[in-house]
Amino acid sequence: MRLGLTSALLLATLLAAPSHAGIIFGRKPAPVDPRTRVPELLNVLKNDKDAAKRSKAAEELKNFDAAAFPDIVPALIRALNEDPQPGVRIDAAQSRGKIRPGSQAACEALENALEKDPSMRVRIQTRAILLQYNWAGYRTAKKEAIPLATEPPRGVLGRFLPP
């Protein structure tokens, strides 16, 4: 009985504390200044040795306006094409997929990753992002068609075909 009463009093005391103290509900993080945060994230994405930090930087870059910070898209494309860690490449692709509108260079980088990336996880993720782009109206550039031969090929059975 005494343990239950003590627990109830302790819980009531915690709930009665002001919510701005951040004990139970937490505090809202202070707003970040994009003019300082974006260059920091770009530097981490390009130069940091820790793959987890590069991955978080790529993930956080999707929250900023790519029109106001034109260096975001090329940095994400560079990370998608050149980073040695598949997790960083996945986060760069996901962040690039969230930035609208899609540029031709960025979509080509996603298609390139879909075709040539050695990691199956990266290829699967880029396929999903390109599918979302297709739903939004983006169409891949047409590859040059292979011209059809004017004459049918002559193989082993070719000698039996009339000329």
Side-chain angles (χ1 to χ4, degrees):
M1 177 73 177
R2 189 171 262 263
L3 183 61
L5 182 61
T6 307
S7 302
L9 287 174
L10 180 62
L11 183 61
T13 305
L14 287 176
L15 290 177
S19 63
H20 68 280
I23 295 172
I24 294 177
F25 300 108
R27 294 184 184 182
K28 286 187 178 181
V32 294
D33 182 21
R35 290 173 288 167
T36 58
R37 186 65 179 153
V38 170
E40 289 173 6
L41 293 172
L42 292 173
N43 186 33
V44 168
L45 184 62
K46 291 176 186 175
N47 301 322
D48 203 295
K49 301 287 185 208
D50 187 9
K53 289 180 183 177
R54 291 193 315 268
S55 182
K56 287 182 182 182
E59 184 180 345
E60 191 176 339
L61 281 171
K62 71 181 172 196
N63 299 326
F64 298 100
D65 184 18
F69 301 99
D71 293 338
I72 291 177
V73 173
L76 290 173
I77 290 173
R78 188 178 308 111
L80 175 62
N81 290 334
E82 299 173 3
D83 199 276
Q85 294 296 320
V88 177
R89 294 194 306 266
I90 287 173
D91 286 330
Q94 287 175 341
S95 292
R96 181 57 204 112
K98 299 289 181 188
I99 295 174
R100 297 285 189 254
S103 68
Q104 187 67 26
C107 294
E108 287 174 1
L110 288 168
E111 290 172 349
N112 186 35
L114 175 65
E115 294 173 4
K116 298 178 182 174
D117 198 277
S119 171
M120 184 182 0
R121 291 176 36 220
V122 175
R123 292 191 308 267
I124 289 171
Q125 191 63 42
T126 55
R127 181 183 306 265
I129 293 167
L130 284 171
L131 181 62
Q132 291 172 357
Y133 270 40
N134 286 336
W135 289 339
Y138 168 77
R139 299 288 178 249
T140 58
K142 301 286 184 200
K143 306 256 188 222
E144 288 187 28
I146 299 173
L148 297 175
T150 55
E151 294 184 25
R154 300 280 179 174
V156 175
L157 298 178
R159 61 186 169 179
F160 298 110
L161 296 174

